[in-house]
Amino acid sequence: MGSIPNLPGILSKMIETPRLNMHVLLRGAADGVPVLLIHGNASSSTFWEETILALPAGFRAIAPDLRGYGDTEDKLIDATRGCMDWVDDLLGLMDVLGYARFHVAGHSLGGSVVWALLATAPERIYTATVIAPGSPFGFGGTKDVRGTPCAHDFAGSGGGIVNPEFARLIAEGYRGTEFQASPRTVMNSFYWKPPFRHSREEALLSGVLSEKIGPDKYPGDLEASPHWPGVAPGRWGPANAISPKYIGDSVEKMLAAPVKPPILWVRGSDDQIVSDMSLFNMGTLGKLGVVPGWPGDEVHPPQPMVGQTRYVLEQYAASGGSYREEVIPDTGHSPHMEKPELFDPLFHAHLKSV
């Protein structure tokens, strides 16, 4: 059993895999068509519960807590492998459960993991759904739709750009609203578009607070950089793992793969975390005057995250794949949770398309 009480009809289970013991939420018959659901950063499997319950008959939901999160065994994330620790963990889980092929959906950082799955094991995926995904080129430190680095050491990405106060308050299990970086305040300000509040706010906050904190976990380590804003990626933890420094050739692999599952890309119209002017991006914060010393648009502009994703998906379609972009209006970073009445029909139609 996990530490967060689940909605009726959802099974919470610990599953031993070749790499680590994973906490997983399950629903549906074991012989149902598997749907792997991958949560985002400062989050956990509980963020999928309504999506799980809404799945049509005949599908089996599998929503694990990723390495570094929730009730899954606490093991370090080697960021120098990019998203590959998570990919290997998830493929190991699906092997243990006996699923050679499956649908996959990823939210936010989970979307970054989906890109890595599409680059690594596309032959195992029926369909892919990415919800407000991190850019295929990584989070932070790039300047154009082709993912060109702002600096050779990828300054402006990784553990050094995380608000240390946010991580400290997660470590303390802080549930109040006294501070601007309070996990509850961050969740209600940025995970969705205010004034939206989720009916399971306390359980979701527990999911945020489940992230493993430390210099080799979250926010992770960093390197000093001579380039603005003075920090480059370290080697450990989730924030470093999604740095463009370690994404490597995953975009090229995804585009060159002979198997290209159809991709549904869903995003909120008013997302402040993943956008072309993300408030979690150093280029944006420099341009707005929040982070001093900004060297200007030519050196370190706001990362065009949406533009980068569209650029890669257009190439994906041109090389034999297919994608569909859906923008949910008046919605923030979590359209599947804010507007399930709009998201679920899109998702279910995509699952049934193959």
Side-chain angles (χ1 to χ4, degrees):
M1 288 287 291
S3 58
I4 299 172
N6 301 118
L7 293 171
I10 294 176
L11 174 65
S12 165
K13 191 174 181 183
M14 293 299 297
I15 297 177
E16 187 175 341
T17 79
R19 291 169 53 83
L20 76 174
N21 290 324
M22 300 186 78
H23 174 246
V24 186
L25 300 183
L26 300 162
R27 186 170 191 262
D31 61 354
V33 180
V35 183
L36 176 63
L37 301 166
I38 310 172
H39 66 77
N41 185 50
S43 176
S44 76
S45 57
T46 195
F47 278 69
W48 287 113
E49 293 200 41
E50 286 77 11
T51 307
I52 288 171
L53 291 174
L55 277 181
F59 290 95
R60 190 187 200 200
I62 301 141
D65 289 338
L66 291 174
R67 176 185 296 242
Y69 303 85
D71 295 312
T72 284
E73 182 182 355
D74 186 7
K75 286 193 172 184
L76 295 182
I77 297 159
D78 180 355
T80 67
R81 304 188 69 224
C83 293
M84 287 307 298
D85 268 353
W86 292 313
V87 166
D88 290 345
D89 292 346
L90 293 169
L91 292 176
L93 170 67
M94 299 309 274
D95 289 344
V96 166
L97 293 174
Y99 299 122
R101 296 187 70 191
F102 49 90
H103 298 274
V104 64
H107 173 228
S108 194
L109 176 142
S112 301
V113 178
V114 171
W115 303 133
L117 275 166
L118 287 167
T120 307
E123 71 285 347
R124 296 192 64 173
I125 298 171
Y126 291 125
T127 69
T129 300
V130 286
I131 306 161
S135 163
F137 293 113
F139 196 94
T142 59
K143 64 167 66 177
D144 55 28
V145 295
R146 292 173 175 80
T148 305
C150 298
H152 65 82
D153 62 358
F154 299 92
S157 69
I161 68 168
V162 175
N163 184 338
E165 188 73 354
F166 178 60
R168 181 184 71 79
L169 292 168
I170 289 176
E172 290 181 7
Y174 181 73
R175 303 185 77 94
T177 55
E178 187 181 348
F179 310 104
Q180 191 177 0
S182 301
R184 186 190 300 272
T185 300
V186 170
M187 179 175 75
N188 285 324
S189 301
F190 297 105
Y191 285 30
W192 19 86
K193 182 181 178 181
F196 178 85
R197 299 290 281 258
H198 200 280
S199 60
R200 288 195 305 120
E201 182 172 318
E202 296 308 317
L204 298 176
L205 179 59
S206 295
V208 175
L209 297 175
S210 75
E211 182 157 13
K212 309 300 192 288
I213 304 298
D216 52 3
K217 298 175 185 177
Y218 184 77
D221 54 339
L222 59 90
E223 299 283 344
S225 171
H227 306 286
W228 188 88
V231 290
R235 298 175 55 85
W236 299 101
N240 287 312
I242 58 172
S243 163
K245 179 174 183 176
Y246 303 124
I247 294 298
D249 60 354
S250 65
V251 170
E252 289 85 351
K253 282 183 176 175
M254 184 176 128
L255 296 176
V259 177
K260 289 188 171 67
I263 297 172
L264 172 64
W265 171 27
V266 184
R267 60 186 183 87
S269 60
D270 303 299
D271 190 341
Q272 298 182 87
I273 295 178
V274 173
S275 76
D276 288 345
M277 280 288 285
S278 166
L279 292 178
F280 289 69
N281 176 256
M282 298 307 283
T284 305
L285 296 175
K287 187 165 188 162
L288 295 175
V290 177
V291 178
W294 182 59
D297 273 321
E298 198 169 312
V299 176
H300 204 123
Q303 180 186 359
M305 300 178 184
V306 171
Q308 289 176 346
T309 297
R310 191 177 295 115
Y311 171 78
V312 170
L313 289 177
E314 284 172 351
Q315 291 202 81
Y316 187 82
S319 56
S322 66
Y323 84 94
R324 178 177 172 186
E325 177 183 356
E326 292 284 351
V327 182
I328 307 293
D330 194 34
T331 301
H333 186 58
S334 307
H336 59 306
M337 303 175 76
E338 296 171 75
K339 299 277 178 68
E341 70 280 5
L342 297 180
F343 171 80
D344 286 341
L346 295 170
F347 184 41
H348 299 167
H350 188 56
L351 295 175
K352 293 174 179 177
S353 70
V354 172

